[in-house]
Amino acid sequence: MAAEEQSCCGCCCRLIFTSGLTTLFLWLSLRVNSPTCSIENFTVFALNKTANSSIISNNNNNNHTIRYDLKLNNKDNKDKGIYYDTLNLTFYYKLNQTSVLLGNATFKDFYQGHGKKTHRIATIDGGKGVKWENDTATTASFRVELNTSVRYKILFWKTKRHRLDLSAVLLVDETGSLIKRKKKGIKFTSKAWNSSGCNVMVLGILGFLSFILFW
C-alpha cells in the first residue's frame, strides 16, 4: 500500500512538473512586447550656426526644412509580427519655455515581421511662425509625439488593437544636428500601453489550457 501511495505521489509530482514546464514554454512563446521606437537622425538646417560665411548662414536661416529618421524595431518579439495602424507624428519646438507646433506627419498602416527594422525618413517644413535666429543657445530642444495602434500576429491569430502613445525629447547642437547618446538614437518613452495587459490575457488562456490538458 505504501509503495502504491509513493507511486501515485510520484506520478502527481511529475504531472505537476510537466504541466508547469509546458505552461512556461507556452508563456514564453506567446508573450508579446511593444516595438522599440527611436529617432535616429534629426537635422534642423536653420539652426546651423557653424557656417563659415554670412551668405551660407543666411541660406541656412531661410531653410526651414527639418529632416528626420524614425526607426521602428521589432527586436523583442520572437516569431511575432506587428500590424501598425496609421502612424502619426507631431513635432514641437521649445523656445523660451514655450512650445511651438512645427508640424505633423502621417504614415499609412503597414506590417512589420519579427526581428525586422523599419525606417521612415522624411522632412517637415518648420518655418511657420518660427524665428530661428532668436535661438542663441548652444542647444535647442524639440519634442516629438508618436501615436498609433498595434496588433500582434501570434501564430495564426491577431491580438486586439492596443494604443501606443509615445514621446521623445530631442536636443540639437549648434550645427543643427541631433545630439545622440553613445552614438545611438533617442528612444521614445512614456508609454500609455505596454504588453502587460495582453500578457495577462495570454496567462489566462494558458491556465485554462493547462487545466483542460492535465486535469
Side-chain angles (χ1 to χ4, degrees):
M1 181 67 67
E4 292 180 357
E5 291 179 353
Q6 291 179 356
S7 177
C8 181
C9 181
C11 289
C12 290
C13 290
R14 286 194 295 271
L15 183 62
I16 294 174
F17 180 74
T18 303
S19 175
L21 284 181
T22 302
T23 302
L24 178 61
F25 174 76
L26 290 174
W27 159 245
L28 293 175
S29 299
L30 298 179
R31 69 188 298 267
V32 297
N33 295 284
S34 54
T36 300
C37 307
S38 62
I39 296 292
E40 295 299 307
N41 286 295
F42 190 81
T43 304
V44 185
F45 294 99
L47 291 180
N48 186 356
K49 303 181 178 71
T50 62
N52 294 324
S53 68
S54 59
I55 295 177
I56 296 177
S57 179
N58 290 332
N59 289 337
N60 284 332
N61 288 336
N62 294 325
N63 186 354
H64 301 146
T65 301
I66 298 176
R67 182 190 297 137
Y68 62 91
D69 178 3
L70 169 67
K71 179 181 177 181
L72 306 168
N73 195 348
N74 185 19
K75 65 177 182 177
D76 296 324
N77 286 307
K78 183 179 179 181
D79 300 327
K80 303 174 189 69
I82 300 177
Y83 290 92
Y84 293 82
D85 285 353
T86 300
L87 191 151
N88 300 297
L89 291 177
T90 307
F91 298 85
Y92 297 92
Y93 170 52
K94 186 176 180 181
L95 179 62
N96 299 327
Q97 305 301 319
T98 301
S99 293
V100 180
L101 175 63
L102 294 178
N104 301 278
T106 301
F107 300 97
K108 66 179 183 178
D109 56 305
F110 62 96
Y111 172 76
Q112 184 179 46
H114 61 86
K116 299 296 183 180
K117 301 175 183 178
T118 302
H119 288 264
R120 293 292 183 267
I121 302 175
T123 61
I124 62 170
D125 182 3
K128 297 179 179 179
V130 180
K131 296 182 178 179
W132 299 105
E133 63 274 12
N134 291 342
D135 192 337
T136 59
T138 56
T139 60
S141 179
F142 296 81
R143 177 182 174 87
V144 185
E145 295 182 353
L146 184 154
N147 308 104
T148 188
S149 294
V150 296
R151 292 175 294 165
Y152 296 89
K153 180 182 179 182
I154 304 177
L155 298 178
F156 302 106
W157 57 280
K158 303 175 186 177
T159 66
K160 67 178 182 179
R161 282 182 170 83
H162 299 277
R163 187 67 183 171
L164 199 62
D165 295 301
L166 311 175
S167 65
V169 175
L170 311 177
L171 296 179
V172 171
D173 61 20
E174 58 187 3
T175 68
S177 302
L178 176 66
I179 299 176
K180 298 186 178 183
R181 301 169 183 171
K182 297 181 179 179
K183 298 182 179 180
K184 295 183 179 180
I186 307 302
K187 292 183 179 180
F188 285 83
T189 57
S190 303
K191 298 180 181 179
W193 175 86
N194 53 41
S195 60
S196 59
C198 185
N199 289 334
V200 168
M201 178 186 69
V202 172
L203 275 178
I205 295 174
L206 293 179
F208 177 76
L209 290 176
S210 298
F211 177 81
I212 296 297
L213 293 174
F214 300 103
W215 301 102

